[in-house]
Amino acid sequence: MSSSSFDRVKLENLAERIYQGQVVFFIGAGFSLDSENLSAFRLMLRLLGRFDGFSWVLARVGTAESPKLQHVAERAGELRRVLRDTFELASKPRLETTEFGGRRPLAEDRLIDPDDAWKLALDYYRANDWFCSAFGTLLDLADSVVTDWSAITEREQLLFASWPVRGRIEQLMAIDPGMLVGHSLAERGKALFVDTLGFADAQVMAGRPHAPSLPEVVRSYVDAGHRLRPRHHVLARWAREGLCMVLLTTNYDLLLEGAYRLAGFACRHCDQPGSEADPPPFYTDVSHFSRIGEAVEFFRFGNTHRSALIAKIHGCAERYRELRQALVEARARQHDQPSYQYAQLLGEARRNFANYLPAIVFTFREIQNWRRDAWSRDLLANLLRTRSIVFCGYSAQDRVLHDAFRTVYEEIAAVHTRVRGQGPTPVELSPADDSVISPGAGHAVEASSVHLSATATMPEVGREARRARAFFLGGAGRLEFDALEVLRAASRAEGEIDPSQTGHPNYIQFHFERDGQPQGFPGLDQTLRWLWHRTYRIRQQESVESDLRRIATSLLGHACPERERQVVGERLAELASCETQVSQAWETEPPEPQTFDRIVGWTDRFQVALLREFAIGETLMRRHGPGFAVQTLLRQPWYFPASEHPDWTAWGVVIEIALRRMVATWRLRTAAGGDGVHDAEGVVGIRQWAMPTTTLSPSRRGRRPLLGFSGGRVRQPAPPNGLEITLLGLGRQRRSLSVRGAYVGPVHRWWLRGQGIPWWTPELSPPAGTPTAACLWAWASGREPSADMLAELDCLLGVDRTLGTGRLRSLQVA
């Protein structure tokens, strides 16, 4: 990674708004481009391959003895010529003269060409419209002749073998000409068009988010190549926290729903008829999610009370699969029932399937008239008026949606101008009344007590522009015209008269991946993980203020001294300040991946795993011991919201600060001469506990809270030791665990009990090697460790002081 587009101030502004619950993410194709690889280029290549194979076979069926076959061949050949002429394709025709005087394509006459695919991808809605009509015409021609469908498949395979996409040869599902027999050419063509894009192929659009059980959901994504990325899980976690209750997307894929399901959401229906989806692992304030793929689903499930909403305004691949599969099954029952019942069942299945096709927006005309569905248009307009919209992976080039965005912002600007006294009906407003103009979204920065000054690179951008109710996450290295114009319209809605054309404080850039690695810093996953880290730190700060005193009093067995609680809050602020200090350098020099992970991993993995362990412990107590349900919870992926138990979240802060200070003290004591370790990172000791270091990092493996820590110099640390926090009574524990590093060392455990969640109370004595709540509190809130604290430190960390770096056993490369 040689370049950096990291901008801490912009990201902090967005993180504050997310935490205030004022943000709605608008997800576009770029969000999943790195995982699903469903680029417009790839889709156009698939369409060209199918059209070439289908039309080439039909264009060669003509014979001198059959005028009917001659007509079919001429029409198919004419479609090939018209495609080239209409879109000015670079591929040249290769034709031969037939015995009856016609012209037919040679084997070398190929329409599939990367340059043409790129050209069509630039304005894909028009090309999509053409292909839908052409496919309908080809199906109609095929009905009148005996078509060799295997020849079409062979032609497609030959074409795609010549142009693999990222080393992978495309595979298309075989054409099913009987899918919508009797329906219009437009409906038949649209169905073949959508099949060609891979809507019914799990290898193209992976996942079964509405499978009955979580293991089935997991397998549906893992078997297809681990499509889910950290960015998808971060959005699902924000939804679980109740911060992002509505998510809009123009994507058809199933990655967002899969992440929501794996985060612990339950779904409203099951994709297996006659079955019910598993309930959520835990019933929380927000336990369910609803996926909206068409108008009828919005009318049934559009109420988001205690339910997260994913609104797929351009349609959904899963809904298409369900209706298509119902049609396939209806056709297969021809011999199982009387003919009249079969005809009725088949007709209903075909109508349902055909009726959903317009909900999948792909053609030029469909995007112009919003699919004739007012619900998506009105939902988007209301969210634009009342919330901050984050365009993520969405180019804003869609003409109709672009117009919708700017129209709403211009409407707000007009009202803004009139109410402020510059219009025909002036009204006097005091500064306190300004909130009636911008209902929440425009005041997110002030509401969260964040005061941002104009940056050095954009000094002309004013306060109103920074309050603009739109953000754009786009590719680094260039400014997208459509995106910038939407942001400028959002700034005008907040009173900015002439927003800058050279940049915008809400334009956040990230780097796309190549071969699985971002080409600069940050990548999209890193951007979302940093935003998650910052929102979680804010949640921790509020939990320390509101709930730490109560939980500490309960665990200590006496009133929590206010000054000690304040010290914990101050140390959390110090920790956040150190992280900010480190992150400022990333604006000019990209960090090492491990450096970034050592900061974000505390909230992204350790704290998440810690609250998960607490939740399992409480369940263990409720169920009177470990059973099948608890073992299932241990194996399944899910996220427990920090907002559900703010007292646990506050105690998690105590554990993190105590651990950091304990490890820093141990390192200081084991350093040569006892005066610390000096290197480029400064003195690593008790007073530098908050600084990230190579000698302490959360583990990247497993679902338990696990840390790796090392002795020795920072640049040459010793093999790591491990420390895991885990519950007693959940079956046999593994004898050894992997800790990320050069070798595997011993893993020490702090044991918990369900009766003592989130920690051992005074009447419960912890096992040897596990600290009491008072001990953790002393390390987190005390000024300096006492002699007794130092004496038991080696035991609590599971290290042998005589060796300094731990009792190493069976060293292995990790």
Side-chain angles (χ1 to χ4, degrees):
M1 269 185 290
S2 59
S3 61
S4 175
S5 60
F6 185 83
D7 193 316
R8 184 190 61 82
V9 175
K10 292 181 180 180
L11 292 171
E12 188 68 18
N13 182 15
L14 177 54
E16 295 283 352
R17 298 203 194 190
I18 292 173
Y19 186 73
Q20 293 298 319
Q22 298 167 351
V23 163
V24 171
F25 279 85
F26 192 106
I27 303 300
F31 194 80
S32 300
L33 189 61
D34 300 332
S35 54
E36 286 281 34
N37 189 28
L38 287 178
S39 63
F41 165 78
R42 182 188 176 191
L43 297 180
M44 281 300 153
L45 206 64
R46 292 174 67 91
L47 290 171
L48 284 171
R50 166 126 298 172
F51 177 78
D52 185 305
F54 201 172
S55 62
W56 185 85
V57 170
L58 291 182
R60 295 176 60 85
V61 299
T63 63
E65 296 79 15
S66 175
K68 183 178 181 180
L69 294 180
Q70 293 177 25
H71 171 73
V72 170
E74 290 173 359
R75 289 288 306 278
E78 185 71 6
L79 282 175
R80 295 173 67 88
R81 183 188 66 79
V82 169
L83 174 63
R84 287 187 167 106
D85 293 345
T86 301
F87 297 100
E88 299 178 343
L89 301 187
S91 64
K92 302 300 182 182
R94 300 288 188 270
L95 306 176
E96 64 178 355
T97 303
T98 64
E99 64 274 13
F100 55 87
R103 304 276 285 174
R104 66 182 180 185
L106 293 168
E108 297 79 17
D109 183 15
R110 300 185 177 186
L111 290 167
I112 184 171
D113 182 270
D115 292 337
D116 289 336
W118 280 117
K119 184 174 184 178
L120 294 176
L122 295 177
D123 193 3
Y124 50 84
Y125 280 119
R126 284 187 167 88
N128 291 342
D129 219 332
W130 193 94
F131 278 117
C132 283
S133 299
F135 284 150
T137 301
L138 291 176
L139 287 170
D140 184 58
L141 292 174
D143 289 341
S144 60
V145 298
V146 177
T147 304
D148 186 356
W149 300 103
S150 62
I152 297 176
T153 300
E154 292 175 3
R155 171 75 176 180
E156 292 171 350
Q157 293 173 347
L158 175 66
L159 296 172
F160 286 129
S162 303
W163 301 107
V165 179
R166 296 188 177 183
R168 178 180 176 180
I169 298 176
E170 294 292 325
Q171 297 286 338
L172 301 185
M173 296 180 60
I175 298 174
D176 186 346
M179 186 65 66
L180 288 177
V181 170
H183 284 249
S184 67
L185 296 186
E187 291 172 333
R188 298 184 70 189
K190 181 68 175 291
L192 180 56
F193 172 90
V194 177
D195 271 357
T196 302
L197 296 183
F199 272 54
D201 188 350
Q203 294 301 315
V204 177
M205 297 187 185
R208 289 182 58 201
H210 291 86
S213 66
L214 275 181
E216 293 177 272
V217 178
V218 173
R219 284 195 299 271
S220 68
Y221 292 97
V222 171
D223 293 347
H226 296 275
R227 305 290 179 89
L228 294 178
R229 296 293 184 87
R231 68 196 76 159
H232 301 105
H233 296 299
V234 167
L235 290 178
R237 288 177 180 179
W238 277 328
R240 288 284 285 150
E241 294 285 354
L243 299 180
C244 297
M245 297 289 290
V246 178
L247 185 146
L248 302 178
T249 181
T250 55
N251 292 356
Y252 314 93
D253 61 54
L254 309 174
L255 301 184
L256 291 169
E257 299 98 302
Y260 272 50
R261 186 76 188 278
L262 297 184
F265 281 112
C267 52
R268 299 294 184 184
H269 72 279
C270 180
D271 66 3
Q272 186 172 310
S275 301
E276 292 186 4
D278 288 345
F282 293 92
Y283 284 97
T284 59
D285 284 344
V286 186
S287 295
H288 291 74
F289 83 96
S290 297
R291 187 274 330 272
I292 307 299
E294 59 178 325
V296 66
E297 290 184 329
F298 183 76
F299 301 148
R300 294 179 60 194
F301 305 118
N303 181 5
T304 59
H305 177 64
R306 300 191 69 177
S307 177
L309 179 70
I310 299 177
K312 308 181 79 167
I313 63 176
H314 279 184
C316 176
E318 186 180 38
R319 183 63 178 151
Y320 174 85
R321 290 178 188 177
E322 291 173 354
L323 295 173
R324 187 184 188 279
Q325 183 61 27
L327 176 54
V328 170
E329 293 176 356
R331 292 170 62 194
R333 298 179 61 181
Q334 180 176 4
H335 304 293
D336 297 342
Q337 51 193 346
S339 58
Y340 72 92
Q341 290 183 357
Y342 169 73
Q344 183 179 4
L345 177 66
L346 181 61
E348 182 180 0
R350 280 178 170 162
R351 283 193 301 273
N352 292 338
F353 181 60
N355 289 340
Y356 186 67
L357 292 174
I360 302 175
V361 176
F362 259 117
T363 69
F364 184 70
R365 185 54 180 159
E366 287 168 345
I367 193 62
Q368 281 185 318
N369 63 16
W370 284 85
R371 306 175 315 189
R372 303 185 301 275
D373 289 343
W375 71 270
S376 54
R377 178 193 61 214
D378 295 341
L379 174 64
L380 177 60
N382 284 329
L383 291 174
L384 289 168
R385 294 184 182 109
T386 59
R387 310 286 282 279
S388 292
I389 303 294
V390 180
F391 299 99
C392 191
Y394 185 77
S395 65
Q397 293 179 359
D398 186 303
R399 294 176 179 85
V400 174
L401 288 178
H402 183 100
D403 176 72
F405 303 147
R406 295 181 66 176
T407 298
V408 172
Y409 290 140
E410 289 164 4
E411 168 199 315
I412 297 172
V415 174
H416 203 155
T417 300
R418 185 179 72 250
V419 174
R420 282 189 178 276
Q422 301 176 13
T425 57
V427 177
E428 292 295 329
L429 285 178
S430 65
D433 294 328
D434 186 56
S435 61
V436 301
I437 300 171
S438 301
H443 287 264
V445 176
E446 292 86 341
S448 54
S449 302
V450 174
H451 304 286
L452 300 175
S453 59
T455 66
T457 56
M458 292 183 292
E460 75 281 5
V461 179
R463 170 175 172 269
E464 290 80 3
R466 292 196 304 275
R467 291 171 46 206
R469 59 179 70 213
F471 290 79
F472 185 83
L473 272 64
R478 64 190 180 94
L479 292 178
E480 300 184 34
F481 167 80
D482 298 277
L484 193 56
E485 288 304 308
V486 170
L487 291 177
R488 295 179 71 208
S491 293
R492 294 189 187 98
E494 294 300 326
E496 184 76 1
I497 302 302
D498 189 19
S500 171
Q501 284 185 296
T502 60
H504 195 279
N506 291 352
Y507 198 120
I508 300 172
Q509 295 185 316
F510 65 90
H511 293 261
F512 285 103
E513 292 183 3
R514 180 178 299 170
D515 298 327
Q517 295 296 328
Q519 298 305 292
F521 179 81
L524 185 54
D525 284 332
Q526 292 166 322
T527 298
L528 269 292
R529 289 182 68 197
W530 181 256
L531 289 170
W532 164 258
H533 178 73
R534 291 300 306 133
T535 56
Y536 202 94
R537 286 297 191 216
I538 299 172
R539 174 75 73 189
Q540 288 178 315
Q541 291 169 356
E542 290 198 352
S543 298
V544 167
E545 289 294 325
S546 61
D547 289 88
L548 182 56
R549 182 184 299 107
R550 178 174 62 84
I551 189 62
T553 298
S554 173
L555 295 178
L556 298 176
H558 59 77
C560 169
E562 177 59 19
R563 179 53 194 156
E564 293 181 2
R565 187 202 64 80
Q566 291 176 355
V567 169
V568 174
E570 291 167 1
R571 285 183 173 156
L572 178 60
E574 179 184 353
L575 175 58
S577 177
C578 288
E579 293 170 344
T580 298
Q581 178 183 342
V582 173
S583 68
Q584 286 177 333
W586 300 346
E587 297 182 358
T588 56
E589 185 68 23
E592 293 294 329
Q594 294 83 359
T595 302
F596 178 81
D597 195 75
R598 277 192 292 270
I599 293 179
V600 179
W602 283 96
T603 56
D604 187 38
R605 291 192 304 277
F606 181 81
Q607 291 289 350
V608 168
L610 184 64
L611 263 63
R612 172 188 167 94
E613 203 73 11
F614 290 164
I616 294 175
E618 187 176 76
T619 302
L620 192 68
M621 182 179 63
R622 290 178 177 177
R623 296 181 182 272
H624 304 290
F628 177 76
V630 175
Q631 294 297 332
T632 301
L633 285 179
L634 287 171
R635 292 191 298 266
Q636 293 177 349
W638 45 270
Y639 170 78
F640 189 84
S643 57
E644 190 70 20
H645 264 289
D647 53 339
W648 294 357
T649 305
W651 191 250
V653 173
V654 173
I655 294 175
E656 179 179 345
I657 294 175
L659 272 169
R660 285 174 176 267
R661 288 171 59 81
M662 292 167 74
V663 172
T665 302
W666 172 74
R667 282 184 44 77
L668 184 63
R669 295 177 63 196
T670 58
D675 59 351
V677 180
H678 297 269
D679 58 16
E681 294 192 25
V683 179
V684 181
I686 184 62
R687 300 191 185 280
Q688 282 72 40
W689 62 271
M691 293 297 294
T693 171
T694 58
T695 59
L696 175 64
S697 60
S699 173
R700 297 182 183 181
R701 304 182 182 183
R703 299 192 180 107
R704 293 280 174 78
L706 175 63
L707 297 175
F709 61 95
S710 304
R713 292 189 173 274
V714 174
R715 296 196 177 191
Q716 293 179 331
N721 288 41
L723 192 150
E724 183 186 60
I725 301 175
T726 186
L727 286 159
L728 276 169
L730 293 183
R732 183 178 180 180
Q733 298 290 334
R734 290 174 293 173
R735 292 184 176 180
S736 62
L737 288 172
S738 297
V739 181
R740 183 175 178 80
Y743 300 98
V744 173
V747 174
H748 179 65
R749 291 185 175 90
W750 288 357
W751 298 100
L752 296 176
R753 287 185 65 183
Q755 295 88 333
I757 297 297
W759 210 257
W760 299 85
T761 54
E763 61 271 13
L764 297 175
S765 298
T770 300
T772 63
C775 177
L776 290 175
W777 184 258
W779 278 103
S781 64
R783 290 301 179 186
E784 299 292 344
S786 66
D788 291 340
M789 293 166 62
L790 294 175
E792 66 174 350
L793 181 59
D794 291 344
C795 176
L796 295 180
L797 294 181
V799 296
D800 186 346
R801 191 177 175 189
T802 61
L803 297 178
T805 56
R807 303 178 302 275
L808 301 181
R809 49 185 168 181
S810 60
L811 299 183
Q812 305 173 28
V813 175

